[in-house]
Amino acid sequence: MKNSLTPFILFITTIISLFNPSTQSKVSLSITPTVLAKSGDPIRIQWSGIASPSKLDWLGIYSPPDSDHENFIGYVFLNSSAKWQSGSGSISLPLINLRSNYSFRVFRWVESEVNPKKHDHDNNPLPGTAHLLAKSVEVGFGSGRVPDQIHLGFTENVDEMRVMFLTGDREERRVRYGLREGKLDRVAVARVERYEREHMCEEPANSSVGWRDPGWIHDGVMKNLKKGVSFVSRNEDSDETIAFLFGDMGTATPYSTFLRTQEESIATMKWILRDIEALGDKPAFISHIGDISYARGYSWLWDHFFNQIEPVASKVAYHVCVGNHEYNWPSQPWRPEWSVGSYGKDGGGECGVPYSLKFKMPGNSLEPTGTRAPATRNLYYSFDMGAVHFVYMSTETNFLQGSTQYNFLKHDLESVNRNNTPFVVVQGHRPMYTTSNENRDAPLREKMLEHLEPLFVKNKVTLALWGHVHRYERFCPVNNFTCGSMGLEGEDWEAFPVHIVIGMAGQDWQPIWEPRPDHPNDPIFPQAKRSLYRGGEFGYTRLVATKEKLQLSYVGNHDGEVHDMVEILASGQVLSGSGDSSVDGAGARGEAAQSKFSLLVKGVSVLLLGAFIGYVLGFISRSRKEATPKNSWTPVKTDDM
């Protein structure tokens, strides 16, 4: 009897040994280097000695290094290495300074242990941590005192520029600046603040999975700047305006994590950097109108975002307004009955706190959160830049008549000096007009049309720019769903705002266009009369204005070329755009949209992009999802706007 059981016992032992790390031969895991000079520097991770390698073997990324197995910040499957089947391999990863060391762990994960209830944002199962094969030494950064995540911003005064940055401690920092690099003879003392875990409203932001030390946020204001010279500051004597505008960009990571990240954000920053380099010393700024990092409670994604935009945001001012993914939570203070479909859990429990402290926009708009969290800031404000008056608003807090925000907008729009700034551009996150089949915000759009559109029309707003819908769409000059005249010669006309949706900078979960009844999965064609151009490519918009004319161009990420353009004269006359009205903009290559600025950009060497491209190449790989065609949209679902 004993002998007859021996083969069976040996068989069971063999099976157990495959999944028991204690019976495996020793797995080696090494990291080089173990000390990095700056955020974004790469490491090389090598492993060997994995017996019977599986396609589900994976590498966990941890910071702090002693985090529980389940609290990784990201993961990479070992089969992303070409030699993984040999039991050995290597990968390279750039690391962001999270003000805590990293460690790395190799796990075996088997199909029988896949838990369908534990999944990521794309409903892919999260890898299991039951079988640890190896753990690395710690990896860190050489100096925690080096400022990271530098970004600029305008203040209320045209001769000032704000500089914000992050460190690992609260020690006093000073910003030195001057008219030339060798003579930094002025000093600005930076104030410092931070937020804590108890300020977060809900999971995952306040959980052990999502929370990480946010560091100390430093804020210095450089004063008495020379017009149009120091940090390319504003020049009120110039009538030229240049801005780069978009919404819903997010960030990319070199690993998979709990949420989908936005790989197209890399291309958006690449092309904008090209444009900024082409400008030389001309003043310009960035406008990012909501859904900033898409961190949604996983704090390290904010670090990735700021690290990614730094090559641009350290050169020109970076301005923002609040979106649903920075703010919304079920107990937010303003949540009228009609808005239940709009205001949910999109903020991941952050309740606007990271957004409020990591940025400081002009003005002092704020709303109490009703919790232990500090008041939400950066809600509505305005400033002049050359020939344009820019206004930012919040679609996430009360904008109805009688509210503080409405009163601000009314007073601000009525006070614009159209001799100095003949153009007025209003920006907010959720659109007043869109032809996408997105019904949850329909009641909110009705309120915007009721309370805000008459204000915009009365005060002759030139452009109304919106995000939230992850497409580009340009409308005719419109009031109450009716196209006004383009102001052509001989016509009786009134200047109506041109609404444009510009939420195409990175997020790739797309709402579908309104379906035809007999083809529910196909978009309407032809489009509604009021919708003049609907784009099918990621990208951004570029605004160039003088006191005579404003031009807004839509640049596609796939080629860096202009694909739609509209020109508006100071009189309010709207010149026809260059794009056609097809759903994906096919054929609209922008030849008719060539401006002096476009020609200037073409003259800039592609070599200017080298440093930026080298920096972001490590972020391009993605091991958990199949590649989709670069020029196609993915209508995966409609509730991640």
Side-chain angles (χ1 to χ4, degrees), residues 400-420:
L400 305 185
Q401 292 184 38
S403 67
T404 304
Q405 178 172 203
Y406 180 89
N407 292 338
F408 165 82
L409 293 171
K410 182 175 185 295
H411 178 265
D412 186 87
L413 292 174
E414 290 175 349
S415 302
V416 176
N417 184 335
R418 301 304 280 256
N419 291 323
N420 293 337

Side-chain angles (χ1 to χ4, degrees), residues 77 82 122 170 295 297 302 304 341 355 371 469 475 479 558 609-610:
F77 286 103
D122 287 328
R170 67 177 305 167
W302 277 109
H304 276 277
Y355 166 83
T371 70
V469 176
F475 290 86
N479 179 27
H558 63 294
L609 303 179

Side-chain angles (χ1 to χ4, degrees), residues 596-613:
K596 291 182 179 179
F597 184 84
S598 299
L599 295 174
L600 179 62
V601 167
K602 284 181 175 293
V604 176
S605 170
V606 177
L607 292 176
L608 287 171
L609 303 179
F612 184 85
I613 296 171

Side-chain angles (χ1 to χ4, degrees), residues 86-358:
S86 69
S88 302
S90 66
I91 57 174
S92 293
L93 289 177
L95 294 186
I96 301 300
N97 189 350
L98 300 181
R99 300 154 302 282
S100 177
N101 287 350
Y102 284 80
S103 69
F104 302 85
R105 305 169 200 175
V106 173
F107 293 93
R108 171 140 295 178
W109 184 38
V110 296
E111 292 187 14
S112 62
E113 295 174 342
V114 171
N115 183 356
K117 295 182 179 180
K118 188 179 179 182
H119 53 78
D120 67 11
H121 201 202
D122 287 328
N123 292 314
N124 297 317
L126 289 169
T129 59
H131 310 297
L132 176 67
L133 300 184
K135 183 177 179 179
S136 77
V137 298
E138 294 186 12
V139 178
F141 290 83
S143 173
R145 293 180 55 83
V146 176
D148 281 324
Q149 305 180 19
I150 299 169
H151 55 287
L152 303 175
F154 297 139
T155 73
E156 293 82 357
N157 302 313
V158 296
D159 65 344
E160 295 179 348
M161 182 73 83
R162 184 181 306 279
V163 56
M164 301 186 73
F165 53 93
L166 201 70
T167 69
D169 62 72
R170 67 177 305 167
E171 292 185 19
E172 182 180 281
R173 300 300 202 278
R174 299 188 177 198
V175 179
R176 296 190 178 274
Y177 61 103
L179 292 180
R180 56 182 187 270
E181 187 173 353
K183 191 179 180 182
L184 304 180
D185 54 357
R186 301 180 187 179
V187 176
V189 177
R191 67 184 184 92
V192 61
E193 61 182 335
R194 66 177 274 134
Y195 54 91
E196 305 294 345
R197 184 170 176 172
E198 57 264 26
H199 293 149
M200 303 293 103
C201 297
E202 291 185 334
E203 294 183 345
N206 62 6
S207 71
S208 56
V209 173
W211 171 260
R212 296 296 187 277
D213 176 10
W216 292 88
I217 303 163
H218 300 261
D219 174 8
V221 176
M222 300 175 288
K223 300 182 178 182
N224 301 315
L225 301 179
K226 189 173 180 180
K227 297 176 182 179
V229 177
S230 304
F231 276 86
V232 198
S233 56
R234 285 178 288 175
N235 182 1
E236 72 270 31
D237 296 335
S238 171
D239 70 348
E240 186 177 38
T241 306
I242 300 173
F244 305 95
L245 313 99
F246 53 83
D248 305 74
M249 185 175 75
T251 189
T253 59
Y255 49 74
S256 298
T257 187
F258 298 93
L259 298 176
R260 173 183 291 193
T261 57
Q262 295 75 41
E263 293 179 27
E264 276 290 333
S265 62
I266 296 173
T268 301
M269 284 291 97
K270 178 190 75 171
W271 291 119
I272 290 178
L273 181 63
R274 171 203 64 176
D275 291 354
I276 289 173
E277 296 282 5
L279 288 175
D281 292 334
K282 288 188 176 182
F285 75 98
I286 304 295
S287 187
H288 187 164
I289 55 173
D291 287 2
I292 309 299
S293 70
Y294 282 99
R296 292 161 286 180
Y298 295 94
S299 66
W300 60 90
L301 294 179
W302 277 109
D303 293 285
H304 276 277
F305 169 79
F306 279 106
N307 198 69
Q308 185 171 317
I309 70 167
E310 186 177 291
V312 167
S314 60
K315 298 180 185 297
V316 298
Y318 199 104
H319 280 257
V320 294
C321 66
V322 69
N324 52 304
H325 285 296
E326 285 77 59
Y327 183 74
N328 292 161
W329 80 100
S331 58
Q332 66 189 71
W334 190 64
R335 198 168 184 260
E337 183 177 347
W338 53 263
S339 71
V340 173
S342 296
Y343 302 144
K345 296 184 177 182
D346 293 344
E350 292 183 355
C351 48
V353 175
Y355 166 83
S356 295
L357 272 70
K358 288 177 177 292

